[in-house]
Amino acid sequence: MRGLFAGVLLWGGTAMAQEVAPAPGPTAETMEFGIHLGLAAATSDREGGSHVGPGVRVHVLRHVGPYFSAGAEGGIYSKAGSTTVVTGTGQYHSGRAVEGTLTQLGAVARLGVNVNGFRPGLVVGMGLNVAEEDSTSVGVSAGMEFEVAPVKWLPLSFDFRAHKAVADGTNFTNKPLFLTGGVGWRYRW
């Protein structure tokens, strides 16, 4: 009995003498900055023409768990927007579309998984699309992206998205549709 009592005291004293381990801090990256170089295509303008141009898009996202991220993004693409130029006066006038810039600003959310270093994901968003003077619209976007990391410090991503206007003052069939795609780099902290 004395041995059992000594064992309980020894075990209890050892447990009391141990320091409480500090709670683990956040070791995973919680923020992300990304920059993408790519192309944007406007499927039609008011004159019925389409435009394609190069550009850049940046985003800042907050990671909420291992699968979901959300934040803000902005992009600018040259020659993907248009402006209608009218020349002449009275009944002798003509109009033509001149290529301009497409500017996008909005919020985006990404849902993805990590499969052995390969990260496929779905991306949705909403925001403002300004395609020069012919089209300013509030719209939604959806698409997919793939991320690979040939080296740990160089995560490369490839994406393709469609941006559809939902409110711009035209009827539903004439609402602009912009397609964007590109390759980018991400930095997480």
Side-chain angles (χ1 to χ4, degrees):
M1 184 69 164
R2 218 182 295 171
L4 179 62
F5 184 69
V8 170
L9 283 178
L10 180 61
W11 175 78
T14 305
M16 296 296 284
Q18 290 180 352
E19 292 182 26
V20 176
T27 57
E29 297 93 357
T30 58
M31 297 296 292
E32 173 181 300
F33 171 76
I35 185 165
H36 284 250
L37 302 175
L39 292 173
T43 58
S44 68
D45 59 18
R46 288 186 180 175
E47 302 296 322
S50 60
H51 307 279
V52 177
V56 63
R57 185 176 68 240
V58 297
H59 68 252
V60 177
L61 300 179
R62 171 123 176 118
H63 297 278
V64 183
Y67 308 112
F68 183 74
S69 303
E73 73 173 353
I76 188 164
Y77 298 89
S78 68
K79 299 183 180 181
S82 66
T83 300
T84 302
V85 176
V86 178
T87 57
T89 59
Q91 71 185 81
Y92 301 104
H93 69 279
S94 63
R96 63 184 172 87
V98 176
E99 294 176 338
T101 59
L102 167 64
T103 306
Q104 297 176 317
L105 183 62
V108 66
R110 178 177 68 214
L111 181 63
V113 296
N114 188 353
V115 182
N116 296 328
F118 175 70
R119 294 180 176 204
L122 299 174
V123 181
V124 295
M126 65 179 304
L128 182 66
N129 299 307
V130 180
E132 287 290 327
E133 295 174 6
D134 277 358
S135 175
T136 298
S137 60
V138 174
V140 295
S141 65
M144 61 179 66
E145 66 177 26
F146 305 97
E147 180 184 317
V148 294
V151 290
K152 183 175 172 130
W153 55 269
L154 186 64
L156 297 175
S157 63
F158 305 90
D159 74 329
F160 177 78
R161 290 169 51 192
H163 309 262
K164 179 69 173 169
V166 293
D168 72 342
T170 62
N171 65 25
F172 186 75
T173 59
N174 292 333
K175 298 222 181 290
L177 174 68
F178 305 102
L179 304 174
T180 60
V183 61
W185 171 79
R186 295 176 174 163
Y187 174 73
R188 294 184 175 99
W189 70 95

